[in-house]
Amino acid sequence: GTTEEHLAKIAVKAHANSVHNPYARFRKPFSFEQVIESPMVCFPLRLYEICPVSDGAAAAVICSAKFAKKKTTKPVWVASSTVATARFDDGITRHLAAASPNGATLHSEAKLAVETAFERSGLGPRDMSLVELQDNTVYYELAFPEEWGFCAPGEAERLVEKGETVPTGKLPINPSGGFQSFGEATTAMGVFQVAELTWQLRGDAGGRQVPGAKAGLAQTIGLGGNATAVVLKK
């Protein structure tokens, strides 16, 4: 299929996941035809492939291992948590002049945050059971897995085509439904990603459960070239 078709399939997948998430703002499935026929906003992205702005709230309890073991039989451990800022040569215009290396563009802040999170956790892409990434647009589900080493350059589209990014696939991405199904509630969504990983690692995610989830990555990007990443594990 074409890139446009793959983008539409990502949106369909996101909303199919949201049907099983009681906290999602949009719990309605979309057909491929509905997505591909929605108005073009900025080629190749269509209206149903871009998240709206939303309000939201989320919370997480962080405590010592000793206290956690008193309160739950299913603790989830923080393997790493990182913050990073962008390089000026990554090709993304940020209100300042930017030099693009060999024409390449990427969100260097996200890549640096994720790479540092893997380094500090002692885990890597192959150890992740799932990924919750910031999908302001469905494009990020094609770009980020390649930039972070989850798959080879050009392979992300094949993963979408083969259905490997659904909760039961080889690389589950945004089983929560992602920003496509919640909207962008800015900083609240970063904490929500932590909550989603926790539910997944505890086996409490219902119809969107990733089978046997043992570790997961969550990632956000913010205005001004900043990003976060967190790795949680059982």
Side-chain angles (χ1 to χ4, degrees):
T2 65
T3 297
E4 287 186 77
E5 290 172 340
H6 290 129
L7 293 173
K9 288 179 180 179
I10 292 170
V12 171
K13 183 265 301 182
H15 289 287
N17 290 345
S18 75
V19 172
H20 303 289
N21 194 334
Y23 299 103
R25 177 182 175 186
F26 307 106
R27 297 186 66 191
K28 175 184 176 181
F30 283 79
S31 68
F32 177 83
E33 288 73 24
Q34 285 176 307
V35 175
I36 206 73
E37 293 173 5
S38 65
M40 183 69 71
V41 176
C42 182
F43 182 83
L45 296 170
R46 297 181 178 275
L47 183 63
Y48 292 170
E49 298 168 337
I50 302 171
C51 80
V53 175
S54 293
D55 291 327
V61 176
I62 304 174
C63 59
S64 67
K66 183 178 180 180
F67 186 80
K69 290 178 179 178
K70 291 180 179 179
K71 296 296 182 179
T72 179
T73 58
K74 296 190 290 185
V76 171
W77 309 106
V78 181
S80 62
S81 179
T82 61
V83 177
T85 54
R87 294 169 53 98
F88 282 107
D89 63 352
D90 70 359
I92 304 294
T93 303
R94 306 177 195 279
H95 311 295
L96 295 169
S100 179
N102 299 320
T105 59
L106 54 82
H107 279 281
S108 58
E109 67 271 43
K111 184 176 182 180
L112 289 169
V114 169
E115 287 180 343
T116 305
F118 284 150
E119 179 182 348
R120 293 180 180 176
S121 69
L123 302 172
R126 292 185 180 181
D127 300 307
M128 297 298 104
S129 303
L130 70 150
V131 179
E132 282 285 328
L133 59 81
Q134 182 164 339
D135 58 331
N136 296 76
T137 75
V138 292
Y139 161 75
Y140 288 128
E141 284 202 31
L142 295 181
F144 284 160
E146 295 181 3
E147 293 175 4
W148 301 342
F150 281 90
C151 62
E155 191 179 3
E157 290 189 354
R158 184 183 65 82
L159 293 175
V160 172
E161 187 71 32
K162 295 181 68 176
E164 298 292 6
T165 60
V166 303
T168 55
K170 292 182 179 179
L171 180 58
I173 299 178
N174 291 354
S176 67
F179 285 44
Q180 295 294 309
S181 301
F182 281 81
E184 185 181 13
T186 58
T187 51
M189 287 304 294
V191 183
F192 170 74
Q193 290 178 337
V194 170
E196 176 67 17
L197 290 187
T198 299
W199 291 322
Q200 290 284 351
L201 296 175
R202 287 178 174 169
D204 295 336
R208 65 186 191 282
Q209 179 66 50
V210 173
K214 296 180 179 179
L217 168 71
Q219 166 273 332
T220 66
I221 49 177
L223 185 66
N226 64 85
T228 69
V230 61
V231 174
L232 302 185
K233 65 181 181 179
K234 293 182 69 172

